[in-house]
Amino acid sequence: LSLEDVVNTDIIIPTVPISIYEEQLNAISNLIKKDALIVDVASVKVHTTNAIKKYLPDSVDILSTHPMFGPDSSDNGNNYKNLKFIYWNERIKNKKRADDFLQFWNELGCELIELSPDEHDKQAAYTHAFAFLIGKLGMKMNIRRNYISTKGFEGLLYNQEAVENDTGQLFDDMMNYNPYV
């Protein structure tokens, strides 16, 4: 499929690294449907939401989201029960389409949490960036369980195990593009 074919849909979900988000939006700005719904799923919200407003037409709807889970925490996409799904109706004209999109995640069992991009990034600077930092530090030090591991230590290892499958680019982008980190 060509890029034109891919973005000629009613709902577009850019799933590219945050560091090239603006470049990719610019590349599709003249190709997308004028009334498309753009669903942002990046790990930072202020940067990506502002980029969408900057590069895409005012006629597109913007649903700013952050599924607070990945393959590991969703059992490879088999269990979404009680997993947090952050959303913000940034600019929505077609409310039914946005509601249907969110309802899909609700029916899978996600806990939908309405949070502005700014508030998301403030909270994520602690919950997400801190956890990644601790996990990446443990990986660099090659920290592993041992015979005298305590519950507190095991909790720290959970952070490490949670980020071992994530790319270094995701970590770098979260650190560089969240204004509160």
Side-chain angles (χ1 to χ4, degrees), residues 44-51 64 117-121 177 179-180:
V44 300
K45 298 278 56 90
V46 171
H47 174 77
T48 53
T49 301
N50 288 340
S64 179
D118 192 64
E119 188 58 32
H120 167 276
D121 284 0
Y177 290 95
Y180 299 100

Side-chain angles (χ1 to χ4, degrees), residues 37-42 44-45 49 62-69 83-92 95 97-106 110-121:
L37 169 62
I38 306 300
V39 180
D40 171 27
V41 295
V44 300
K45 298 278 56 90
T49 301
I62 305 169
L63 183 61
S64 179
T65 74
H66 184 193
M68 301 297 290
F69 50 85
L83 296 178
K84 292 173 176 33
F85 190 94
I86 309 301
Y87 76 95
W88 182 258
N89 292 322
E90 182 64 32
R91 183 173 66 214
I92 301 293
K95 186 163 172 24
R97 179 176 57 189
D99 288 347
D100 287 348
F101 183 87
L102 293 171
Q103 184 60 28
F104 169 80
W105 292 101
N106 186 53
C110 289
E111 177 187 351
L112 300 180
I113 301 170
E114 188 173 17
L115 208 57
S116 74
D118 192 64
E119 188 58 32
H120 167 276
D121 284 0

